[in-house]
Every structure is written in C-alpha cells, then in structure tokens.
Amino acid sequence: MTTLPERSTAQWRRLDAAHHIHPFTDPQRMAARGGTRVLVRGEGVWLWDSDGNRILDGLAGLWCVALGYGRHELAAVAERQLRTLSYYSSFLDTTTPATIELAQKIAERTPPGLDQIFFGNSGSESIDTIVRMVRHFWNLEGRPEKKILLSREYAYHGSTLAGASLGGMAGMHAMSGLLPDVSHVMPPYAYKYGRGMTQDEFGRRAADALEERILSLGPERVAAFFAEPVQGGGGVLVPPPSYWPRVQEICRRHDVLLVADEVICGFGRTGEWFGCQTFDIAPDFMNIAKAVTSGYVPLSAAIVGERVARTLRDKGGRLAHGYTYSGHPLACAVGIENLRLMAAEGLVERVRDDVGPHLQRCLQEALGDHPLVGEVRGVGLMAAVELVRDRAKAELFDPPGEVGLRALDHCFDAGVTCRVVRDALCFAPALVITRAEIEELAARAKRAVDATAKAIGIL
Ligand SMILES: Cc1ncc(COP(=O)(O)O)c(C=O)c1O
C-alpha cells in the first residue's frame, strides 16, 4: 500500500512551490512568507501542521467539517462502500442504493415542498445546475425572455463561470469577465450601508433595493434571485429580521424564482438544519454542499422545489444535464452516516441552544470593545470580527484587505485558523466544538487582533 513519504516542512514547501497552484492565493505573497503551510493531521477541532504545531481550526476547514476531524464512523462507511460498489453512474435509468437513500434523508430535513434532489460534487456545480434549470424552466413555461439572474454585492456562489458571475466579488469578475444577464444588488451589510438607520429600516431598505432593480430591468425579464440566508463568504452578513420577509414577498409579486444558497448555512450552521428555517424563507430552489458530508468527500446538491420540479417532469423530457459523479455512492454513503451522526448527537440543537450563543458571547466579550474592531456579528456558529480603520467613525479600511491578511498571519501565529474576508475575520468552527474550546478560540483571536493592532500602530 502506498504511504505518503516523510518529508520536512522545507521539502514540502519546495515541491509545493514547484508544482502546485493554490486556489485564491497570491503565489508571490506566499513565497515571501516562506511558502505554504502544510497540515498533516486533525482530531475534533484541532489540526497539526508539519512542524508539529497544534492549531484550533476556527473555520471547520472551509465552513465544512461539521463533525470535526478524525471521525472513524465516516471512515468505516467509506471503506465499506468502496469495497461493495466503488462507483456507478446515475445517468439514464441507473443509480445506486446509497444515492437513493441520501436523497431521501436530505428530503426528510428540507422545508416543505423542497424534496427533489439533483446531486453534484461542489457548491459551484450546484449553482450551475440551478442556473441551467432556471433557464430551462422559463423556456418550458413559454417565457424565454425571463433570463436575468440577480444576486448581491459581496455574494459568493462559487468559482465556475456561472458561480463567479453570480458572486459579487470584483476581483473574480476582473479575472474572466461576467456572464451576460447577471445583475448585483445591495446586500444587507448594515455596518457598511446602514449608518443612521435602525436595523428594521435598513432591512427594508436593502430589500427595496432588490425591488427597484427588478422594476428597472423589467420583471418580465428577471428569472431568479440568488442569495444565501446569511452571506458567509461575504463576511458573515446577518440580515436584519425585516429583510427576508420583504425579499420573499417582492420575489413572489414579480414572479422571480428565489434560490437559497445553503452551501454554508445548511446543516446546522445557523442553529437550524437550514438557514431557510432560521429566517423563515420558502425558496423555489436550495443548494447544499460542504457539511452534508462534513467535507470528508465532495458532494453537493441542487434541491428543486415543487413548482419547478413539476414543470421539469411534465414538460421537460430528457434532462440534458449531469456530472459523471452525480450521486457518487462513496460520497452518498458518507453523507448518510454524517446526517445520522448529526441527528444522534443533537448537534443542530446544540448550536441553537448552547455553543452558538456561547461563541457569539465569547467573541463579543473578547473583542467587542477592541479599538481595532468595528463590530462583532453573527448567528448560530458563524461569526465575524470586522477590523476597521476608525472605530468611532465606523470607517472601514480603504483599500480593504491588507490589514485582514496581516491579521490572518497573526491568527496562525496565535494558533487559530479563520477566513479573512476583506478585513473581517470569520469564524465557523465544527459543530462539535466544546464550550472550553470556544473560550480558547476567542482568547487566541484576541491575541491575534492585539498583535495586528500593535503592528499597525493602533495599540
Ligand atoms: C454560499 C456558497 N455557495 C457556493 C460555494 C461554492 O462551493 P464550492 O467551493 O464547493 O464550489 C461556496 C463556497 O464556499 C459558498 O460559500
């Protein structure tokens, strides 16, 4: 059996620099810092790097490792499935038991009317699938002019052409341009756009921005609005309570399909199984990925609501769409066991009632009054610490991002990982994190923010 060679960190770094292109990484910056960091092992919420440092994973990998690292139950079902049937396709009329079973298990948890599951491998693919289904739906309904896809500034919906276009990240648009017929509206980012307004006023204002855009483009041309219940990759932008009810009402009134991207929010992150349940959203589509397998193997799904599913079934004929690995039995077997463990261990309720509020409280206590911090915000087990240039004037750094990257380095030095979005440090640890580990996370985050503040002369 092949085992990975024992190499020193310096050797891994040399090989990495020679052959490996990292996603979302500036190779020159990485080289200047000495090269890649190599993670070699994980247990619970803890990671070990190739120098033997023990690091608290404050982001559950990339918002995905819900059950934490090293779960033998997931390894065991993976091995059993690989021995029994390593692969078969779901094209044409075939599929596998694990594929059917996971579709049913997901449908059991989703909001009413959302029980038709189309599998893919990544969140990006699930977004592409929905874009194609949205266009197909309106064509089948005899309204081919309904083509425009709306989403929000700072949205993240993946890295394929459709995902990057729907995303509201200027740097991604600059790399390869935008697909036509995509338009971005203001997000419910209260710290940036809601000055001088109450939460309630700002929530309604942000929703009205959507309606204004629909009206200016012409409702007869607008096909769908894509949005995460809480924008995770946008910096954990938690909408005010007045936002979602109004958005939903606007979409219904103008017959614009509503797509809830649950890639981060899904499976407990917000304290319910789905962000749609936390915010009482009834979308036409949902898409999921990440925590459905706790990131142990890639799996995603587009979840199609009743209205669209009926049209596809009754009028659509053969679906001209699919991936070789749609419904891969290995990923589905791991997904089934992952969902069983999440339910058996009561992890979703634990986020809602215990560790979620504890994370928000601890970060607030550690950093809420820090001179470098504008606000600490979050819901469930996801939170952001917004670093700002001037706390009193609520002034963000301009240009954004440089201080955030420095803070990320300080986080690693303090032994905690996070995701930096512009200058916001985002935390979303595994759902199995303990209260003591949350306190440790907050203490390490504080050390990192202190060190950043000192380095830029604010402390
Ligand atoms: C909300 C959301 N949608 C889509 C994606 C894309 O998922 P993937 O990276 O698996 O393609 C992500 C990734 O972080 C995401 O956060």
Side-chain angles (χ1 to χ4, degrees), residues 62-63 121-127 156-160 228 230-233 261-265 287 289-290 299-300 419:
L62 260 182
W63 325 79
N121 307 282
S122 66
S124 305
E125 283 180 0
S126 64
I127 285 286
Y156 188 74
H157 295 295
S159 254
T160 53
E228 290 175 84
V230 177
Q231 283 179 245
D261 184 336
E262 293 266 6
V263 166
I264 284 178
C265 294
N287 60 308
K290 294 192 188 277
L299 178 81
S300 70
R419 173 93 159 91

Side-chain angles (χ1 to χ4, degrees), residues 41-48 54-61 65-72 294 296 429-434 437:
R41 191 163 77 79
E43 195 67 46
V45 297
W46 297 94
L47 291 163
W48 282 263
R54 181 172 177 258
I55 301 161
L56 204 168
D57 184 1
L59 197 73
V65 189
L67 285 184
Y69 298 99
R71 294 298 298 248
H72 294 261
S294 279
Y296 277 58
L431 311 192
V432 295
I433 194 167
T434 64
E437 286 165 340

Side-chain angles (χ1 to χ4, degrees), residues 186-203 205-206 240 373-377 386 388 390-396:
M186 179 175 76
Y189 184 1
Y191 191 79
K192 180 163 181 178
Y193 297 117
R195 291 281 119 192
M197 287 182 237
T198 64
Q199 281 282 311
D200 193 54
E201 283 165 356
F202 177 64
R205 176 74 211 89
V373 174
E375 73 170 354
V376 175
R377 57 176 175 260
E386 182 96 62
V388 295
D390 189 323
R391 179 184 162 87
K393 294 188 193 143
E395 209 173 281
L396 296 162

Side-chain angles (χ1 to χ4, degrees), residues 1 88 123 150 171 206 238 294 319 351 379 394 428 431 451:
M1 191 161 81
Y88 203 74
L150 298 180
V238 185
S294 279
L319 185 71
V351 171
V379 60
L431 311 192

Side-chain angles (χ1 to χ4, degrees), residues 16-17 20-22 24-36:
D16 182 75
H20 178 206
I21 300 176
H22 288 232
F24 286 104
T25 303
D26 174 347
Q28 291 189 6
R29 185 179 186 278
M30 184 166 72
R33 299 184 29 263
T36 189

